[in-house]
Amino acid sequence: MKRPEPALSVVVPMYNEESVLPALAGRLRAVLDDLGEAYEVVAVDDGSDDGTATGLTVLRAGWPQLRVLRLRRNSGHQAALVAGVLRARGRHVVSIDADLQDPPETIVEMLRVARADDLDVVYGVRADRSTDGPFKRWTAAGYYRLMRRLVGKQVPAQAGDFRLLSRAVVEALRELPEPAPVLRLVVPWLGFPSGEVTYHRHRRAAGRTKYPLSRMAGLAAQSVTSFSAAPLRFATWLGLVGVAVCGLLVVFTVVAWALGATVDGWPSLYVAILFLGAVQLLCLGLLGEYVGRIYTVVQGRPAYVVAVDTAADEPGDPTADGPVDEPAATAGEVAARGAGGPTALADSLR
């Protein structure tokens, strides 16, 4: 007998979030239990190397709605997010980070707005980012301005990965050929009816950020090259500018030769060589980015590999769908790996 689908799935990607698990479980469970509807929490462990796996095993012992999806290696935040969303079973799917900067209490309002207005997507939009540093606020604002210019104004400003999706949107995401889509851009691009719920962004509940400057830059590069050929067009225009500058230098050289001042022309030659070399290297780099992405797609490797999905151990419930899977470990194997978990996690459920 097939297990009935829950009304709501909450996907929580996490990497080395052992310290925040007690607070996350306490707040998230309180919100979801008060809904009075069947739900599941899909905790996606993105190859953590601390006590996150053990903590999740302890939590699951006292929280039957908790489902653990463990990836074999650290595949990145977006890949973990996609893995959880595509394997979630709820009629609505909410994604939220584990650090509690996005308040779980907002989920109730998102669900209410989706049902009242018959919306397929509800974005959590940050009304206040005062808890972030000036550099983070500046770079985030620049990222969203750039994405709205490249992808379109349907990309909501200041909306990260805290969103609600209907089952129709999740099924549409399954049809996409991209192995690792950037959901904060793909979801608006799909064009489903959408709305917004504003909230105040909080400080991280515990631990430290797993999204340093290098990862933010990587996300920006992936977003741009996945959704726009603008960098290639920029390279083309830069090449045309280079040709124009070189044309002017040719004219300057001819005039200098006619005036008998060719010996003094070495600075222009030096500048021209440097400029053309820089333009060529930049254009090659941009082409390399796109060729690299084509190579990745042609290889056909999955963005993530699932090691454990505890849903496979539940009676009457087939293994959840996903782009790629490996045999799920048994419940005994999960418990064996998680023996000796911290009692603070169990205490948080009381």
Side-chain angles (χ1 to χ4, degrees), residues 19-86:
S19 59
V20 82
L21 286 181
L24 173 67
R27 287 180 60 182
L28 186 57
R29 186 172 188 180
V31 170
L32 298 179
D33 285 348
D34 286 344
L35 288 175
E37 302 180 15
Y39 71 87
E40 69 170 357
V41 176
V42 184
V44 185
D45 180 7
D46 187 21
S48 300
D49 52 18
D50 64 350
T52 300
T54 300
L56 289 174
T57 302
V58 173
L59 285 175
R60 188 167 180 267
W63 192 4
Q65 292 88 354
L66 178 61
R67 173 184 171 192
V68 179
L69 192 68
R70 190 172 304 151
L71 306 187
R72 290 200 175 275
R73 61 178 180 85
N74 179 239
S75 303
H77 179 269
Q78 289 298 308
L81 182 61
V82 171
V85 169
L86 295 187

Side-chain angles (χ1 to χ4, degrees), residues 149-170:
R149 181 176 294 274
L150 294 179
V151 181
K153 293 185 177 180
Q154 67 269 25
V155 177
Q158 301 301 327
D161 290 313
F162 186 28
R163 70 178 72 84
L164 178 145
L165 306 176
S166 69
R167 173 52 50 183
V169 178
V170 175

Side-chain angles (χ1 to χ4, degrees), residues 83-348:
V85 169
L86 295 187
R87 300 174 75 91
R89 300 170 296 192
R91 294 191 294 275
H92 287 93
V93 179
V94 174
S95 58
I96 184 172
D97 289 338
D99 55 17
L100 293 177
Q101 288 188 284
D102 304 329
E105 294 77 13
T106 308
I107 294 176
V108 178
E109 179 65 12
M110 297 170 80
L111 192 59
R112 185 196 67 78
V113 170
R115 291 172 174 173
D117 299 337
D118 195 22
L119 301 176
D120 288 296
V121 183
V122 178
Y123 300 102
V125 177
R126 300 153 183 166
D128 179 19
R129 300 194 64 151
S130 59
T131 56
D132 294 331
F135 179 76
K136 179 66 177 291
R137 293 198 299 269
W138 179 78
T139 53
Y143 171 81
Y144 287 110
R145 281 197 299 269
L146 178 60
M147 292 304 103
R148 287 168 65 86
R149 181 176 294 274
L150 294 179
V151 181
K153 293 185 177 180
Q154 67 269 25
V155 177
Q158 301 301 327
D161 290 313
F162 186 28
R163 70 178 72 84
L164 178 145
L165 306 176
S166 69
R167 173 52 50 183
V169 178
V170 175
E171 295 304 320
L173 290 174
R174 289 179 183 274
E175 300 299 322
L176 295 178
E178 296 179 69
V182 180
L183 292 186
R184 66 180 65 186
L185 301 181
V186 169
V187 171
W189 176 84
L190 290 174
F192 282 88
S194 62
E196 298 180 358
V197 169
T198 59
Y199 67 94
H200 292 281
R201 187 169 171 84
H202 298 168
R203 294 188 182 277
R204 168 177 268 274
R208 57 188 181 88
T209 180
K210 309 305 185 297
Y211 234 73
L213 178 60
S214 59
R215 292 204 173 189
M216 290 191 292
L219 175 63
Q222 182 182 2
S223 301
V224 172
T225 55
S226 296
F227 269 85
S228 175
L232 292 178
R233 297 192 187 101
F234 173 76
T236 300
W237 283 105
L238 193 60
L240 291 175
V241 171
V243 170
V245 171
C246 289
L248 292 176
L249 289 175
V250 168
V251 174
F252 174 78
T253 303
V254 172
V255 172
W257 174 79
L259 297 177
T262 53
V263 175
D264 296 332
W266 69 267
S268 61
L269 179 61
Y270 182 70
V271 170
I273 292 174
L274 289 180
F275 181 77
L276 287 177
V279 169
Q280 289 173 351
L281 289 176
L282 177 60
C283 294
L284 286 175
L286 292 174
L287 288 172
E289 283 290 326
Y290 283 90
V291 171
R293 298 197 177 279
I294 294 172
Y295 176 66
T296 300
V297 172
V298 170
Q299 281 181 315
R301 294 177 184 172
Y304 58 87
V305 179
V306 175
V308 173
D309 185 352
T310 55
D313 300 326
E314 299 173 1
D317 184 23
T319 302
D321 295 332
V324 174
D325 195 8
E326 293 189 12
T330 64
E333 291 171 340
V334 174
R337 283 195 290 267
T343 57
L345 296 175
D347 292 339
S348 68

